[in-house]
Amino acid sequence: IKQTICQAGKRGNRLLILPELVLGGVPENLKQAQRIAIRADDPVWPELSDLAVENHVDVILGFVLEENGKLWNAAECLCDGTRHRYRKSHLTRREAQWAEAGDQAGLILDRPYGRIGILLGSEIMVMEVPRLLANSGCDIFAVPAVKNPNCLSGCPEAQQARENYHPARVRANENNTYTAFAVQEGISGIFGPDMFLEPRDEVLLRE
């Protein structure tokens, strides 16, 4: 993660979106989640925040948050030495085995380059979350994700496009926004609205 932040700074990037649950890993059950959970006062946060400031880049990354004996699937947003936190509100069945649901659908951050709407992983499938963010004036949906469970390792790129990041493309179109979708496994991408024109040109970047 530190190396990626430094690389983003060298490239002159203003915003770095890392995947959901990238810090610590993806838990399979409550016991694993408790073992890898990170508290808000963990020393890793000032260390990463200082590195983000040094490289002039905003960083969004996912992790398991532990607070007062409870766990959340969360995203930490490091911006100019300040920290903002989003707790995922719409959980999958597997996540509900270990995580509490957040009480807010998405998080909005105003930055010099635009208004960012942050949501996590499978929330891109829930129409109301990106729509609420779009109605609040967001220019960019920042979506840290793990992967679509239906998208197996080694499957053809066309299948990954259909099963993995197709919802991100659709949300950009229907909300007239940009969607930056970062996955741990599969194809990440940045999508812009193209109003479903042919030939398709909404994929701005894939990596």
Side-chain angles (χ1 to χ4, degrees):
I1 290 174
K2 293 177 183 178
Q3 182 179 3
T4 304
I5 293 173
C6 293
Q7 290 173 346
K10 290 178 181 178
R11 290 195 299 260
N13 298 139
R14 301 292 302 279
L15 174 63
L16 173 64
I17 302 169
L18 296 172
E20 181 181 20
L21 299 169
V22 69
L23 186 60
V26 182
E28 294 293 329
N29 50 50
L30 176 60
K31 187 175 181 179
Q32 285 187 12
Q34 290 171 331
R35 186 170 66 250
I36 64 176
I38 301 172
R39 295 176 55 86
D41 58 358
D42 192 283
V44 70
W45 297 122
E47 185 177 356
L48 290 178
S49 181
D50 289 347
L51 190 61
V53 170
E54 180 182 334
N55 285 277
H56 307 286
V57 60
D58 295 341
V59 180
I60 301 172
L61 73 163
F63 69 108
V64 177
L65 169 67
E66 190 273 316
E67 194 172 81
N68 297 323
K70 296 181 179 181
L71 303 178
W72 283 269
N73 183 350
E76 195 80 359
C77 312
L78 311 174
C79 306
D80 291 336
T82 63
R83 291 166 49 195
H84 309 269
R85 190 171 301 118
Y86 173 59
R87 297 170 174 84
K88 189 173 184 177
S89 58
H90 293 69
L91 303 175
T92 64
R93 185 177 301 177
R94 178 176 291 183
E95 290 166 346
Q97 296 176 8
W98 57 265
E100 302 284 331
D103 58 3
Q104 176 182 343
L107 174 67
I108 297 172
L109 293 179
D110 285 310
R111 304 300 297 144
Y113 47 81
R115 174 169 281 192
I116 305 173
I118 300 165
L119 54 156
L120 277 168
S122 59
E123 289 184 316
I124 197 69
M125 305 287 289
V126 183
M127 292 181 64
E128 68 178 16
V129 180
R131 183 55 56 87
L132 286 169
L133 295 172
N135 288 345
S136 297
C138 289
D139 306 296
I140 308 166
F141 296 150
V143 191
V146 178
K147 67 174 183 176
N148 189 315
N150 296 323
C151 188
L152 303 177
S153 299
C155 72
E157 183 174 322
Q159 183 179 351
Q160 292 190 38
R162 182 173 64 253
E163 295 183 350
N164 199 3
Y165 61 65
H166 180 70
R169 157 191 302 146
V170 172
R171 295 299 175 256
N173 276 309
E174 66 190 12
N175 291 288
N176 197 33
T177 61
Y178 293 89
T179 301
F181 190 67
V183 294
Q184 287 201 34
E185 183 176 340
I187 301 175
S188 300
I190 301 174
F191 307 94
D194 73 345
M195 302 304 292
F196 298 102
L197 299 175
E198 294 291 347
R200 307 193 66 86
D201 63 357
E202 80 281 11
V203 181
L204 304 181
L205 177 68
R206 290 192 302 182
E207 183 173 52

